[in-house]
Amino acid sequence: MKKNVGIISLIVFIIFAVGAFFAFQFYKKYYASNVQIEGFILIPHSANFASIVDSISPYLKNKERFVEVAMDKNLNKFFQAGRYQIKSGTNNTNLVNMIKAGNQTENSFRIGDFFTVYQMVGKVVKKTELDSLKFAKDLNRIATDKGYNNAEDLKKYFFIDTYNFFWTVTPEEFFKKFEDQYNDFWSAERKAKEKNLGLTRNQIYALASLVYKETGGKPDEMKTVAGLYLNRHRKGMKLQSDPTVIYAVSKANNFQGDPIRRVFYKHLREPSPYNTYFSAGIPPGPICMVDKNSVDAVLNSESNDFIYMCADPKRLGLHKFTASAAEHAVNAKEYQDWLNSKNIK
């Protein structure tokens, strides 16, 4: 009897041990962490199962276990394109479910004071699946559908800021985000100020771009600068803004190479409707993308009598303002002497 009990106990132990072994193997396969290093993988729409495995393998402790789980859960048949974050401690089940469900991680992108929409496209596509030619072509189509000439006429929609997008974002989804923001920005209150100002929206954005460039995007002097330009415009004076010269020269060079760092008299003669030393009036469009502050600065400009401004070498990033031509000449000479002392050409 004791012998039988011993045999039964041994059998039970063996069954338990075998069960525990397989349970542990099941746990390791499906639920134990299988990530050795963190990172991101990109799965394009053209991917297949083999390419997915190749992309994720460098981050895994055990490639074979991942493949087994992936096959069990039909990842070879069902997956979503995207940019996926591989986090420490993640198991195979969660990895596979993440890719099947398309739970990708957004990427951040900074819209800066780009001269053109196409410069922005060249930067943003580095964080998307599409190439720049396809992205630009689709934005051109969106623009023409809205009655514009091309994507460059969409510049006013793209406010300077940091935004989040999925790697798989389409040009349509990309633009829709900015179009919604643009429509929200132009509230009834801002539209009323726009009407009182007596300028077209395109003129407002053009002035806002001058304000942004002159102030370097710092809000300190934006309303003062906006007031100065409006004074010049209302007096029928040329706006004479150096950033418009830089833009005109860059545009003439098809925006190739670095912009000029210093404006010389030879640059003032650049024949362009954007060059406010050469052409009178407000430029036909913004010379760069702007932020909301610069547009609001034009809509809420400071009431002043300033006509002239000059960069202040003693307060870098700020300006000296005056209504006196003689005083401005003194300020301008001081600034030119400072540029020469720094060998800025």
Side-chain angles (χ1 to χ4, degrees), residues 273-311:
Y274 288 94
N275 179 357
T276 55
Y277 280 86
F278 181 85
S279 300
I282 298 173
I287 63 171
C288 70
M289 292 175 182
V290 302
D291 65 357
K292 295 176 182 178
N293 288 333
S294 53
V295 177
D296 274 336
V298 175
L299 294 176
N300 302 279
S301 61
E302 176 184 287
S303 178
N304 58 55
D305 62 353
F306 298 139
I307 296 297
Y308 306 102
M309 67 178 175
C310 182

Side-chain angles (χ1 to χ4, degrees), residues 49-74:
F49 183 64
S51 65
I52 293 173
V53 173
D54 286 344
S55 296
I56 201 170
S57 291
Y59 302 95
L60 303 178
K61 297 175 184 177
N62 190 300
K63 171 184 173 181
E64 288 70 26
R65 288 199 189 109
F66 173 81
V67 171
E68 289 177 9
V69 174
M71 293 296 291
D72 287 348
K73 298 177 76 64
N74 294 319

Side-chain angles (χ1 to χ4, degrees), residues 33-102:
S33 170
N34 193 26
V35 173
Q36 63 175 347
I37 57 172
E38 296 187 332
F40 292 89
I41 62 168
L42 301 176
I43 299 178
H45 283 88
S46 60
N48 55 38
F49 183 64
S51 65
I52 293 173
V53 173
D54 286 344
S55 296
I56 201 170
S57 291
Y59 302 95
L60 303 178
K61 297 175 184 177
N62 190 300
K63 171 184 173 181
E64 288 70 26
R65 288 199 189 109
F66 173 81
V67 171
E68 289 177 9
V69 174
M71 293 296 291
D72 287 348
K73 298 177 76 64
N74 294 319
L75 185 64
N76 58 320
K77 298 178 182 178
F78 307 103
F79 62 85
Q80 301 290 332
R83 172 180 179 265
Y84 296 98
Q85 185 174 13
I86 310 301
K87 296 181 180 179
S88 178
T90 308
N91 59 54
N92 289 324
T93 298
N94 289 338
L95 288 172
V96 171
N97 288 342
M98 174 178 67
I99 297 171
K100 285 184 67 177

Side-chain angles (χ1 to χ4, degrees), residues 9-10 21 34 58 72 88 104 152-153 158 171 189 212 218 238 272 280 310 312 319 328 337:
S9 298
L10 178 60
F21 173 78
N34 193 26
D72 287 348
S88 178
Q104 56 176 311
E152 184 61 9
D153 292 334
F158 302 107
E189 181 182 359
Y212 187 89
K218 299 175 183 177
K238 288 183 178 179
S272 168
C310 182
D312 187 347
H319 297 80
H328 175 65
D337 290 344

Side-chain angles (χ1 to χ4, degrees), residues 188-302:
E189 181 182 359
R190 287 192 173 95
K191 288 178 180 177
K193 291 178 179 179
E194 173 187 30
K195 185 177 180 179
N196 290 335
L197 198 56
L199 300 177
T200 67
R201 190 165 297 182
N202 218 38
Q203 288 178 315
I204 290 171
Y205 273 89
L207 283 178
S209 68
L210 271 59
V211 169
Y212 187 89
K213 282 294 190 180
E214 290 285 8
T215 61
K218 299 175 183 177
D220 311 56
E221 296 181 344
M222 279 188 172
K223 291 181 180 181
T224 304
V225 173
L228 181 150
Y229 279 128
L230 285 169
N231 288 341
R232 289 182 182 176
H233 176 65
R234 288 162 180 160
K235 290 177 180 292
M237 298 174 61
K238 288 183 178 179
L239 298 188
Q240 295 188 329
S241 167
D242 286 3
T244 67
V245 180
I246 295 171
Y247 177 86
V249 172
S250 296
K251 186 172 173 43
N253 295 323
N254 201 28
F255 300 104
Q256 300 298 312
D258 295 329
I260 58 175
R261 297 180 62 197
R262 183 174 177 179
V263 174
F264 290 98
Y265 286 111
K266 64 178 181 180
H267 298 131
L268 304 184
R269 298 190 295 272
E270 181 65 43
S272 168
Y274 288 94
N275 179 357
T276 55
Y277 280 86
F278 181 85
S279 300
I282 298 173
I287 63 171
C288 70
M289 292 175 182
V290 302
D291 65 357
K292 295 176 182 178
N293 288 333
S294 53
V295 177
D296 274 336
V298 175
L299 294 176
N300 302 279
S301 61
E302 176 184 287

